[in-house]
């Protein structure tokens, strides 16, 4: 299947050459969308969510989440976002959070039952902001654009040459792209965000060791109901824990070198 995947991606080479970039960890990226485009999309998505989902009206809960986010966001490079970040707590049982280009952070109340203290919640918020710093949204959209271009071109070639079984071949290509490219790409993004987020939380004065317990909590909360790592967009919790432990040294140094020690009360 890899013989099909490579030509699909190669078809976008001309576009790729104009969108090459490097992530904060030194990984090569293809970014086809501008910061202004991403911020506009982020604003629109966040506005829609605030209209469609219930926003928490619990003052202490909101202050707690804002306190943690406000300790972290000053450590985000100004080139990523220089304004005041907007933080919203959504009254929803999802165990999740997110950050969007344009300085938007959303936290679901379900996460507050799993992240047991400020340090664990800081690990999640730092991770989500890291996705914005590393422009993972831009990268995924750019990847999707290139794959669509390639798939359309291959379909046209098969049809023009009257290749039999065109439908099954295109379906197989789609599965190969998903398992061979898109899922590993997503796992790479998650691992990269873990490392960047670990650094962010430590620089803000949150104990990076708490990220380990967070993922133990996440694993327990999932009750083992998740797909095998090969077919998952996220690394398995144990894999994440091992990678966090491997990067703990620099994070602990950042934590020890800062005088900041936030005190956010839930």
């Amino acid at each position: 299947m890899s013989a099909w995947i490579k030509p699909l991606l190669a078809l976008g080479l001309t576009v790729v050459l104009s969108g090459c970039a490097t992530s904060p960890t030194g990984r090569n990226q293809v970014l086809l969308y501008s910061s202004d485009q991403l911020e506009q999309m982020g604003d629109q998505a966040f506005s829609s969510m605030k209209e469609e989902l219930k926003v928490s009206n619990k003052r202490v809960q909101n202050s707690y989440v804002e306190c943690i986010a406000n300790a972290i966001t000053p450590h985000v490079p100004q080139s990523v976002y220089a304004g005041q970040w907007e933080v919203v707590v959504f009254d929803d049982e999802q165990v999740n959070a997110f950050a969007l280009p344009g300085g938007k952070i959303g936290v679901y109340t379900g996460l507050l039952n799993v992240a047991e203290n400020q340090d664990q919640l800081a690990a999640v918020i730092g991770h989500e902001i890291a996705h914005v710093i590393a422009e993972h949204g831009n990268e995924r959209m750019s990847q999707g654009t290139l794959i669509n271009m390639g798939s359309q071109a291959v379909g046209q070639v098969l049809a023009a040459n009257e290749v039999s079984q065109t439908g099954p071949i295109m379906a197989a290509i789609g599965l190969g792209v998903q398992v061979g490219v898109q899922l590993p790409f997503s796992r790479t993004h998650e691992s990269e965000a873990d490392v960047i987020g670990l650094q962010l939380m430590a620089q803000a004065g949150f104990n990076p060791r708490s990220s380990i317990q967070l993922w133990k909590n996440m694993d327990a909360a999932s009750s083992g109901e998740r797909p095998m790592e090969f077919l998952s967009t996220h690394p398995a919790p144990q894999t994440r824990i091992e990678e966090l432990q491997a990067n703990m040294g620099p994070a602990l140094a950042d934590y020890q070198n800062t005088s900041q020690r936030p005190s956010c009360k839930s």
Side-chain angles (χ1 to χ4, degrees), residues 35-36 71 87 124 137 140-141 154 168 179-180 184 191 202-203 247 252 260:
S35 297
D36 288 343
V87 183
V124 180
R140 288 186 187 185
M141 288 195 302
V154 170
V179 176
S191 296
Q203 290 173 341
N247 290 277
L252 285 173
Q260 290 183 266

Side-chain angles (χ1 to χ4, degrees), residues 36-233:
D36 288 343
Q37 287 175 304
L38 268 293
E39 287 195 12
Q40 184 176 10
M41 292 178 196
D43 287 341
Q44 292 173 345
F46 205 60
S47 294
S48 295
M49 293 187 72
K50 287 188 293 184
E51 292 176 0
E52 296 169 6
L53 297 177
K54 182 180 179 181
V55 175
S56 173
N57 59 7
K58 296 180 179 179
R59 184 181 58 82
V60 173
Q61 194 175 69
N62 280 275
S63 296
Y64 172 59
V65 174
E66 288 174 2
C67 175
I68 296 169
N70 290 341
I72 295 174
T73 52
H75 299 276
V76 177
Q78 293 287 292
S79 59
V80 173
Y81 186 70
Q84 177 68 38
W85 288 69
E86 181 181 1
V87 183
V88 173
V89 180
F90 293 100
D91 192 356
D92 190 292
E93 288 306 305
Q94 288 188 59
V95 182
N96 208 352
F98 64 89
L100 298 172
K104 311 297 182 184
I105 297 172
V107 174
Y108 295 95
T109 52
L111 176 62
L112 304 180
N113 298 322
V114 178
E116 299 171 328
N117 54 47
Q118 65 169 9
D119 300 293
Q120 290 181 23
L121 185 54
V124 180
I125 293 176
H127 169 95
E128 298 303 330
I129 292 174
H131 280 306
V132 176
I133 292 173
E135 296 197 71
H136 289 158
N138 191 341
E139 194 173 5
R140 288 186 187 185
M141 288 195 302
S142 300
Q143 178 202 37
T145 297
L146 294 177
I147 287 174
N148 287 337
M149 288 169 53
S151 297
Q152 291 172 7
V154 170
Q156 290 171 359
V157 170
L158 292 174
N161 288 277
E162 299 182 349
V163 176
S164 62
Q165 303 297 312
T166 297
I169 290 173
M170 291 303 294
I173 290 172
L175 179 62
V177 169
Q178 181 184 28
V179 176
V181 178
Q182 291 174 313
L183 293 182
F185 208 3
S186 295
R187 293 196 293 271
T188 296
H189 287 168
E190 292 301 317
S191 296
E192 189 169 59
D194 279 346
V195 174
I196 299 170
L198 191 69
Q199 179 186 35
L200 274 178
M201 69 177 294
Q203 290 173 341
F206 295 103
N207 191 337
R209 294 186 186 91
S210 294
S211 62
I212 304 300
Q213 186 58 50
L214 168 74
W215 284 105
K216 290 179 180 179
N217 295 352
M218 288 287 199
D219 192 22
S222 71
S223 302
E225 296 178 1
R226 59 179 181 276
M228 69 178 76
E229 184 169 4
F230 175 62
L231 295 175
S232 175
T233 59

